[in-house]
Amino acid sequence: MVTTVRLSFFCKPEEDRESLMKAFKSLFPFNLEDEKLQIKRTTAEGFSDRIIEVYELLLQKDRHCNAFLNSLLERMTKEQKEQLLNQIESRLHDNLHFYLRLDKDALSNLNLLWLTDGGNCFHLELVVAAFPKNREVAKQIIRNILTESIK
């Protein structure tokens, strides 16, 4: 269904890196260390010369992608899945990448998955496995995934 999952988040100097990292790791239904998956850390210069940490994890094995996607869908509400169904067009880019954002505060403070359009978030990028590789096939795959998970 998806060939790659990329997850990332920014950590500003005033944010609690440990609680954000704990929230980030809670998105995975498996132990990252046991699966030999490493979170990549880089830095970027933000406004006013502030150094911002960027954390990213890439899942490329089918078993990791499928386990992650199933876990994510189990944690989402019916309303969130319906919202995604209604927003497929705007969330699916021409390269067949489907994008989601999860509110950092809701996940790190309340352990809740909350879709957001704001920038203070965990970024999720799902690469849809569409054959033939075209937008209509990818949209149908996403529709099927979301519809099936609502039942």
Side-chain angles (χ1 to χ4, degrees):
M1 294 189 242
V2 297
T3 59
T4 305
V5 177
R6 181 183 317 272
L7 300 103
S8 63
F9 72 96
F10 303 117
C11 183
K12 300 173 208 149
E14 66 275 10
E15 292 181 308
D16 181 358
R17 182 173 46 85
E18 292 304 316
S19 69
L20 290 177
M21 188 60 72
K22 182 179 176 184
F24 186 69
K25 287 181 178 181
S26 79
L27 292 170
F28 304 96
F30 42 78
N31 183 291
L32 298 178
E33 290 78 26
D34 291 348
E35 295 296 324
K36 297 180 176 52
L37 294 168
Q38 295 200 353
I39 298 170
K40 180 182 166 186
R41 178 189 171 274
T42 56
T43 58
E45 190 173 314
F47 298 113
S48 303
D49 299 324
R50 293 179 355 144
I51 301 299
I52 296 172
E53 296 174 322
V54 181
Y55 294 92
E56 178 181 41
L57 183 65
L58 186 66
L59 303 177
Q60 294 181 297
K61 291 185 178 179
D62 284 345
R63 67 185 171 92
H64 293 147
C65 292
N66 292 334
F68 172 80
L69 186 57
N70 289 334
S71 174
L72 180 71
L73 291 170
E74 284 175 10
R75 291 180 65 184
M76 294 177 90
T77 66
K78 179 182 177 184
E79 292 76 21
Q80 289 172 316
K81 294 172 196 176
E82 289 170 347
Q83 177 183 350
L84 292 176
L85 275 168
N86 292 328
Q87 295 175 344
I88 287 175
E89 192 64 44
S90 64
R91 291 181 180 275
L92 182 67
H93 290 228
D94 291 336
N95 55 6
L96 306 187
H97 294 203
F98 189 73
Y99 293 93
L100 306 173
R101 291 178 179 187
L102 300 174
D103 187 270
K104 278 195 320 194
D105 292 330
L107 188 58
S108 60
N109 297 330
L110 306 171
N111 196 30
L112 292 175
L113 292 185
W114 198 256
L115 294 174
T116 183
D117 292 325
N120 190 31
C121 62
F122 295 100
H123 303 267
L124 282 73
E125 173 187 1
L126 309 171
V127 180
V128 181
F131 184 80
K133 187 176 180 173
N134 70 51
R135 190 173 177 78
E136 290 309 311
V137 171
K139 286 194 302 192
Q140 189 56 51
I141 290 170
I142 294 166
R143 255 187 232 102
N144 292 345
I145 292 169
L146 292 169
T147 303
E148 192 63 33
S149 72
I150 290 174
K151 292 181 182 177

